C-alpha cells in the first residue's frame, strides 16, 4: 500500500435529539464526510458507519471507518492529530469524535464488529417533564409510574436472552426481506440507574437502565424490546403475553404503541477484537 494512505476507525458520540426532522444518518454521513474532506485528501471519501441508529437515538460511542490519502506524499495523520482536526472542523455541539485507530486495509467498521451494546434509560415518577433535571431532558423515557414490577421485567428479559427468531420485534422497513430475523441476545438486563446530575439535583428520582447486547439487531428491535419490558413492569403485559409475542414471529403480533421512544436509547459501545477498540 502507498505510504501516504491510511484506513482509520473513528469513534464518535452524538445527541440525536436535534436531528429528528430529517434522516439523521443521511445528515450525519454528509456532515462527517464533508468534515473529512476539509482535511484535503486526494481520494474520494466514503464513510462506513458500524451502526445505523434510527432518528432521535443517541450514541455514547458509535464507529465508522474511512480511507485517507494525503497529497504530496505527506505521511498519514497520527490518530491524535486526526481526532483534533475532525473536532476542530465539526463545530457542531451535538457531535464529537472521541478517538481514532489506524486499522488494516481490509478492516470494516460494520462487519468486523463483535458486538453492540445499547442502554435504555427510564425515569420514574415524572408527572411533568419539568421535574427532570435539564441534563436528562430528552435523554431518558420519563414515566408517571412511581414504581415498576422489576421481578416481572427480569422474567420477561430472560425470555429474550439467547437465540430466537425476533420477527415480532422488528419494525417494517426496506431491509425486511433481506435480513435474517434470527438473532442472539447475549445480555438483556435491568439495573438501577441514575440521573446525569444526580449528585447536584435536589429531587430524588428513580432511574432504571435496560442493557441489550448482541452482535447485531433488527430495525427498531431494541426500542420494541425495551417497550415490552416496561409494559411488563407496568402490568400492561403479562410475562406469558411477552412469550406469545416472541413466539408469534410476526411483526404484526407486536402490540401497537408499546415500542419505547427513541430519546431514551443510547448506543453505548461497538466492540471489536484487538484491532480497533
Amino acid at each position: 500500500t502507498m505510504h501516504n494512505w491510511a484506513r482509520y476507525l473513528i469513534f464518535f458520540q452524538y445527541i440525536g435529539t436535534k436531528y429528528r426532522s430529517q434522516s439523521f444518518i443521511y445528515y450525519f454521513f454528509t456532515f462527517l464526510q464533508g468534515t473529512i474532506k476539509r482535511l484535503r485528501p486526494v481520494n474520494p471519501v466514503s464513510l462506513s458507519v458500524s451502526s445505523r441508529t434510527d432518528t432521535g437515538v443517541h450514541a455514547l460511542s458509535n464507529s465508522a471507518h474511512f480511507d485517507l490519502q494525503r497529497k504530496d506524499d505527506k505521511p498519514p495523520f497520527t490518530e491524535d492529530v486526526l481526532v483534533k482536526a475532525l473536532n476542530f472542523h465539526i463545530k457542531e455541539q451535538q457531535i464529537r469524535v472521541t478517538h481514532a485507530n489506524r486499522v488494516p486495509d481490509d478492516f470494516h467498521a460494520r462487519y468486523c464488529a463483535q458486538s453492540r451494546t445499547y442502554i435504555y434509560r427510564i425515569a420514574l415518577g415524572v408527572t411533568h417533564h419539568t421535574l427532570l433535571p435539564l441534563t436528562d431532558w430528552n435523554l431518558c423515557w420519563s414515566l408517571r409510574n412511581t414504581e415498576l414490577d422489576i421481578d416481572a421485567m427480569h422474567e420477561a428479559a430472560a425470555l429474550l436472552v439467547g437465540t430466537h427468531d425476533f420477527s415480532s420485534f422488528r419494525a417494517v422497513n426496506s431491509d425486511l426481506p433481506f435480513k435474517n430475523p434470527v438473532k442472539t441476545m447475549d445480555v438483556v438486563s435491568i439495573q438501577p440507574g441514575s440521573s446525569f446530575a444526580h449528585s447536584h439535583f435536589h429531587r430524588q428520582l428513580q432511574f432504571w437502565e435496560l442493557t441489550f447486547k448482541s452482535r447485531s439487531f433488527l430495525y427498531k428491535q431494541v426500542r420494541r424490546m425495551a417497550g415490552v419490558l416496561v409494559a411488563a413492569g407496568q402490568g400492561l403485559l403479562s410475562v406469558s403475553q411477552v412469550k406469545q409475542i416472541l413466539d408469534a414471529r410476526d411483526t404484526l403480533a407486536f402490540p401497537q404503541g408499546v415500542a419505547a421512544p427513541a430519546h431514551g436509547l443510547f448506543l453505548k459501545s461497538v466492540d471489536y477484537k484487538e484491532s480497533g477498540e
Side-chain angles (χ1 to χ4, degrees), residues 201-249:
F201 197 64
H202 62 285
R203 198 180 294 110
Q204 279 300 305
L205 290 172
Q206 172 74 66
F207 279 76
W208 290 93
E209 282 191 354
L210 314 179
T211 304
F212 303 91
K213 181 181 178 185
S214 174
R215 188 168 188 126
S216 63
F217 295 87
L218 299 164
Y219 182 58
K220 295 196 179 169
Q221 182 187 350
V222 180
R223 283 169 56 188
R224 287 183 163 216
M225 291 190 298
V228 156
L229 295 185
V230 168
Q234 292 170 318
L236 299 173
L237 287 176
S238 66
V239 176
S240 61
Q241 282 174 303
V242 174
K243 187 166 177 7
Q244 283 164 13
I245 293 167
L246 180 65
D247 291 346
R249 299 195 294 274

Side-chain angles (χ1 to χ4, degrees), residues 61-213:
S61 186
N62 200 341
S63 55
H65 80 264
F66 62 90
D67 295 323
L68 195 63
Q69 184 185 0
R70 298 188 68 194
K71 54 177 164 195
D72 306 329
D73 278 353
K74 286 180 182 158
F77 291 108
T78 65
E79 294 156 349
D80 289 352
V81 167
L82 180 75
V83 169
K84 284 192 181 115
L86 288 174
N87 283 331
F88 174 78
H89 287 300
I90 282 173
K91 300 212 182 12
E92 167 74 70
Q93 292 157 331
Q94 312 287 14
I95 301 171
R96 181 91 64 258
V97 177
T98 54
H99 55 297
N101 294 123
R102 283 197 55 180
V103 288
D105 291 350
D106 60 351
F107 181 91
H108 194 288
R110 184 165 161 205
Y111 302 118
C112 294
Q114 298 294 300
S115 69
R116 294 161 174 85
T117 304
Y118 283 88
I119 300 268
Y120 198 94
R121 303 179 70 238
I122 295 157
L124 298 187
V126 184
T127 48
H128 192 266
H129 71 81
T130 52
L131 295 176
L132 278 174
L134 265 180
T135 51
D136 290 277
W137 183 75
N138 251 331
L139 300 174
C140 64
W141 184 14
S142 49
L143 302 173
R144 289 171 170 269
N145 308 67
T146 49
E147 52 185 60
L148 296 172
D149 181 344
I150 301 300
D151 290 339
M153 292 175 75
H154 282 305
E155 277 186 64
L159 295 172
L160 301 176
V161 175
T163 305
H164 306 281
D165 179 327
F166 281 98
S167 293
S168 301
F169 286 85
R170 68 168 164 191
V172 176
N173 75 340
S174 55
D175 280 351
L176 201 67
F178 312 107
K179 286 263 172 82
N180 182 350
V182 176
K183 298 285 177 191
T184 302
M185 295 302 118
D186 302 317
V187 176
V188 180
S189 70
I190 300 129
Q191 292 105 357
S194 63
S195 136
F196 287 134
H198 61 97
S199 53
H200 305 283
F201 197 64
H202 62 285
R203 198 180 294 110
Q204 279 300 305
L205 290 172
Q206 172 74 66
F207 279 76
W208 290 93
E209 282 191 354
L210 314 179
T211 304
F212 303 91
K213 181 181 178 185

